[in-house]
Amino acid sequence: MGRADEVAAIDAFLARASQDGAALVVTGEAGMGKSTLLQAASVRATARWRAHVRRVSGAQFEQQLSYSGLHQLLLADATDPAAELMTLPDAHRGALEAALGLRVGAAPDRLLLTSATLALLRRLSAEAPVLLVIDDLHWLDRASAGALSLVARRLAGSRVGMLLAQRSGTETFFDRAAVPELRLAPLDDDAAMDLVRVLHPGLHPSVRHRIVSEAGGNPLALNELRRGITAAQESGADALPTTLVLSDRLRRIFAARVSSLPAPTRRLLLLAALDDGAQAGIALMRVIAASDVDLEPAETSGLVSVDRRDHRVVFAHPLTRAAVVDLASAPERRAAHRRLAQLAEDADVQALHLAEAALGPDETVARTLVGVAERALDRGDGVRAVSLLLRAGELSLRPQDRARRLADAAFIGAHVTGALTGAGTLLERCRAEHPDVARTLQSATAAAAHLLNQDGDIDTAHAILVRALDTTPPSETHRRGVEDAIVTLMTVCSFGGRVELWAAFDDAVRRFEPLLSEPVRIAATTFADPVRSTPEQLRRLDDLVEALDDRSNPIRVVELGQARWYVGQVPRAPLQHMVDGASTGGTVALGAQALVMLAVDAFFSGSWDEAGALADQAVATCEEHGYALLLWGARLPGMLLAAARADTPYLDVAHARMRQWALPRNALAVRTFTAYADGLAALSQARYRDALEAYRSISEPGTFPPHEQVTAWMVMDLVEAAVRSGDLDAARAHVDAAARARIPELSARSRFLWLGAAALAADDAGYKDCFQELVEDQSSAQWPFALARLELAYGERLRRDRAMRRARPHLERARQRFTALAATPWSDRADAMLRATGPTRRVGAERAQELTAQELQIARMAASGLSNRQIGEQLFLSPRTVGAHLYRVFPKLGITSRAALRDALTARGH
């Protein structure tokens, strides 16, 4: 894995060797996979060329035994060694028998032995190629190495291949001057991560990344480092050590060179190894500079180098650093941490080292660690935050403080890092430490988050949180705990999908409002009850989203994404940045939520392939980490895609899952989302009354019940179902109710959908103006699926009014958009409507799809990244005119978004 180029080189070597003989030496550091590659070569040679394979591995204890390697190579894998030797001339046979210890006699002449070996190999290769595999060449005895190096030079014209492996940095008596080399470099991070996934499935991403980081691309280390990780560390119930524990095999490889260094040198290296991230910086470098003589042996041996620009000691390999720590005794490590604490200028760094040096409780250090943990969480490093909180708990004087810090760690594990199993263990430890703390708001929030995410027990989680909030007084000291509880309760109520659950939430928000951050206060309406969002809340939400960047707190990014979830476009770039960062394991649970939001947003914006990929990633994340309830949110984008494409089997499975899992747990929001998808599926299949009934199960036409969150999304859907069912009164009542509820003010998309609903419900006198305004507005192309449905409806209505010529362009554009989305039921309907408009002139049809010169020029400029305004400035056109050109270009190219322009133009040779 991760060795595609190397395997290709081996295949090329085997092909040459099977025809004309060849030799190749594979080199690399210990653990790089040389033996594995040689084994793979043996298997491939046997499978592809039916080659005879002879093997030998050098051994240290046999280095003094002359020709022991040659003996193993020629005789160990032979079926009948005596018979093979009998085919040789007497001189050759005698030389080999003497060298291999089969007869007593003087050592053979070296050239004669070489000739004899070649003669035997050529005879063996008469029927099929022969592959000689020689591993650990550096440990092969001198006599064998010398003989085989002569053989390697004389393989031309034979069908014999010689494949050798030697550890980098070692010496051998084999003369490699004429033998090509294949060097095995460390695996890159992607290949290393793939290998860890195969070797150790089920590891938390943070543990995987830690293994990859410390292994330095060494395949053996990627396999062995897992052995030193405990079950508690793997689950997130305990912190990983400063450096991962080395296995015996790794210790033999990496610790040997360190252990031979003088004691003063090892003490200096220990300071550098424990100075994680070069936190001591210049101060530590002064100490090292003052002890330059002590550092010299490590530099000379290549174990470390000094980076004077960044003021740090750089280890040649991460496992060398681990070996330095591994070889130090516990008192030596504590002494090093105390020295680093003295050198540290930053109070946080000082506390980190004092915490590692402490032998007993220290509340001052514990409180500082809690602050460091909060700042780590702000940066998105949830795993680091949990680790610091656990150490703070260990240093706490009072049991109630230990329990409280364990509860905080458990909440982060359940809500942020995705370590549900570890969170459960931490909650049990919290209750054991101090039963009273288990009834506090912090513990209740952690328990509810764990219960909600793992078991999906809506009612119990709700009861735990409400009881804890009711008994907690509004106080600045509880600010963080209150906000965590409110956000968790909002999630509980959202998945519960029952108005009675929301009553306690609304009451808690009113009671604790002064303690809540602005994003949470806004989300308490825009997410919890989006239809009742105020213009001021929406303006402030826009400002807060606009202020997000790559450095924003991941928790805040997700909170603002949720706040925008039902009332506008989610902040895609910050969410995507957070998803990328979540792959390291620090924010796995938040990353899953971000994936769901991105996937649904991609569905609405017409990027359906992206929506499917994001949804699959979200589902895989939830399944891997046991987030059973969030898994339902992750399945929503797939359900919407299936609904739009009339994939009934997919929706049938979703219904079965809902009945078996969600409904018994009173997670009624799952039923709401399923009904929402059912309505779209029925529209896709022209089952309009079924569609209307599905939407009615969520809310009656003309109503927007409190906390029915999805009603903000389905205004046009419900109206379309009502219109096509012939219930115009219901359709118009819903359009009017949406206007009174100020749905059009929620977002640009909400306004577009409301205008679309109004056009669908418009009377015969006004429908043309309503539709025409929408289809001519270039901003409508942001939502291609909804726009195509409106073009289809407009074309159908024009056809009914006998305006065939006017209907065709709209039906054609609808068909093109549906086809681009692979929305087959809809494109078939548009195609049927086109045929129903009568025969279409085909003369010049191909030419009609070609771009005009100006359209091509504008398309190329837009594909290069220029905005409409920038294009207009260069071509002396208004931005609106540029947009109109692009509006005609997209259907001609069969695309729905600006991002697809470059590929579409390239495909057409433009």
Side-chain angles (χ1 to χ4, degrees), residues 687-806:
R687 296 184 290 106
Y688 302 123
R689 292 193 179 278
D690 290 344
L692 185 56
E693 287 307 309
Y695 294 130
R696 268 190 163 135
S697 71
I698 301 171
S699 71
E700 284 293 327
T703 67
F704 291 90
H707 297 291
E708 280 294 354
Q709 297 156 294
V710 78
T711 57
W713 283 353
M714 67 181 210
V715 171
M716 193 182 95
D717 302 314
L718 189 152
V719 169
E720 182 175 4
V723 167
R724 292 184 180 276
S725 298
D727 195 344
L728 282 174
D729 290 340
R732 289 166 182 165
H734 204 62
V735 171
D736 293 342
R740 289 193 301 272
R742 298 189 298 192
I743 295 289
E745 299 176 21
L746 294 179
S747 66
R749 179 173 170 270
S750 298
R751 176 172 176 75
F752 166 77
L753 293 176
W754 179 79
L755 289 173
L760 288 165
D763 59 22
D764 290 342
Y767 81 88
K768 293 177 184 176
D769 290 339
C770 293
F771 276 112
Q772 203 65 36
E773 179 184 354
L774 274 173
V775 300
E776 289 182 351
D777 186 346
Q778 62 183 10
S779 67
S780 299
Q782 297 176 78
W783 307 286
F785 181 51
L787 177 59
R789 286 160 58 187
L790 291 172
E791 294 250 40
L792 174 61
Y794 188 21
E796 288 174 333
R797 202 153 176 186
L798 288 170
R799 186 187 71 82
R800 286 199 300 270
D801 286 351
R802 312 302 299 167
M804 303 298 185
R805 187 178 297 275
R806 288 190 63 185

Side-chain angles (χ1 to χ4, degrees), residues 329-366:
S329 65
E332 288 172 331
R333 290 195 292 269
R334 288 195 296 271
H337 279 296
R338 282 194 295 271
R339 182 66 174 126
L340 289 168
Q342 292 170 355
L343 295 172
E345 298 177 358
D346 184 276
D348 287 354
V349 174
Q350 187 179 60
L352 292 172
H353 287 298
L354 289 176
E356 293 301 321
L359 282 172
D362 188 326
E363 184 59 29
T364 301
V365 174

Side-chain angles (χ1 to χ4, degrees), residues 60 84 257 395 400 424 571 635 651 665 734 785 841:
Q60 283 181 294
E84 290 178 359
R257 294 172 69 191
L395 295 175
Q400 55 266 47
R635 286 184 173 133
L651 294 175
R665 289 168 173 78
H734 204 62
F785 181 51
R841 293 181 61 189

Side-chain angles (χ1 to χ4, degrees), residues 603 608 640-646 680 684 784-785 788-789 792 814-831:
F603 172 81
W608 285 10
L640 293 176
L641 288 168
R645 291 166 171 164
L680 180 57
S684 300
F785 181 51
R789 286 160 58 187
L792 174 61
R815 179 174 66 177
Q816 289 171 351
R817 293 184 189 279
F818 289 138
T819 299
L821 294 169
T824 304
W826 296 89
S827 58
D828 288 349
R829 192 183 311 166
D831 194 51

